[in-house]
């Protein structure tokens, strides 16, 4: 759960200061289970993917170019990874996420919506202020098959893409 005394991460949106509600979970810590909504309105939990590497590609909205590109890039790069699943996570509605993935031919990323969950607080990625307040910041977390966090990146500038190579190198 969120630690009310924990200071959020300082990030920027087009150079302007924005803060998250907390910090990303620490490396080598146990990943906190969560339940999100898939585009078919079924519920998916992190524990559903136990035994696989899980890439949590967290972002504000697929309606922005950077977020859309991160999903496209992980979709392309994930195709060659064994025992790995990529979850694209935002507060977008499941219908919009499903439509985007269908239109873009996204087959290697599972879109999941945090619209009725609290992943943003559990993982410290919900923005606490700024024009995108309430949406999720851009972050990547990689969980190993045993449920431990082996990589985490809070992208410091929301309009920039994550370090795909570093995230995926943690799996190889």
């Amino acid at each position: 759960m969120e630690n009310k005394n924990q200071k959020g991460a300082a990030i920027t949106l087009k150079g302007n200061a924005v803060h998250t509600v907390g910090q990303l979970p620490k490396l080598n810590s146990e990943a906190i289970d969560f339940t999100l909504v898939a585009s078919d309105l079924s519920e998916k939990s992190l524990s559903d993917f136990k035994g696989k590497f899980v890439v949590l590609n967290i972002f504000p909205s697929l309606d922005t170019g950077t977020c859309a590109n991160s999903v496209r890039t992980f979709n392309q790069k994930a195709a060659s990874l064994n025992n790995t699943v990529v979850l694209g996570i935002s507060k977008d509605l499941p219908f919009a996420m499903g439509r985007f993935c269908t239109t873009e031919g996204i087959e290697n990323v599972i879109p999941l919506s945090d619209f009725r969950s609290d992943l943003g607080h559990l993982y410290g990625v919900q923005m606490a202020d700024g024009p995108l307040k309430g949406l999720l910041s851009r972050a990547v977390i990689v969980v190993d098959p045993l449920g431990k966090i082996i990589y985490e990146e809070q992208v410091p500038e929301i309009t920039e893409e994550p370090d795909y190579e570093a995230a995926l190198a943690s799996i190889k």
Side-chain angles (χ1 to χ4, degrees):
M1 285 291 156
E2 176 192 5
N3 178 346
K4 300 284 185 194
N5 298 321
Q6 185 178 31
K7 185 176 180 179
I11 56 178
T12 58
L13 173 61
K14 297 181 180 178
N16 297 309
V18 176
H19 301 89
T20 61
V21 297
Q23 300 286 333
L24 293 180
K26 303 253 184 263
L27 284 176
N28 300 313
S29 67
E30 188 76 23
I32 303 166
D33 199 15
F34 54 78
T35 301
L36 302 173
V37 181
S39 53
D40 65 359
L41 299 181
S42 65
E43 292 187 338
K44 300 283 185 202
S45 297
L46 178 60
S47 57
D48 294 341
F49 304 102
K50 192 140 184 120
K52 295 181 181 273
F53 287 98
V54 182
V55 177
L56 307 179
N57 178 30
I58 303 166
F59 48 86
S61 175
L62 283 170
D63 284 328
T64 69
T66 305
C67 299
N69 197 49
S70 74
V71 172
R72 287 185 203 106
T73 301
F74 273 122
N75 181 63
Q76 179 186 27
K77 293 181 180 292
S80 64
L81 299 176
N82 292 323
N83 199 38
T84 302
V85 62
V86 178
L87 308 180
I89 302 170
S90 76
K91 293 268 189 188
D92 288 328
L93 291 177
F95 316 110
M97 296 180 88
R99 183 175 57 251
F100 173 85
C101 289
T102 299
T103 302
E104 295 284 330
I106 304 294
E107 298 176 349
N108 301 310
V109 173
I110 299 170
L112 295 175
S113 176
D114 187 37
F115 86 104
R116 66 177 178 209
S117 304
D118 204 16
L119 178 121
H121 280 89
L122 289 175
Y123 279 74
V125 294
Q126 185 164 312
M127 287 182 265
D129 55 22
L132 300 180
K133 179 180 177 178
L135 295 179
L136 305 180
S137 65
R138 185 174 320 287
V140 177
I141 298 170
V142 179
V143 180
D144 76 7
L146 300 175
K148 297 283 185 196
I149 294 173
I150 58 172
Y151 178 84
E152 53 91 13
E153 175 191 12
Q154 172 65 71
V155 179
E157 166 57 52
I158 297 167
T159 62
E160 294 178 3
E161 294 183 47
D163 186 342
Y164 303 108
E165 300 309 319
L168 297 175
S170 71
I171 295 170
K172 298 175 182 174

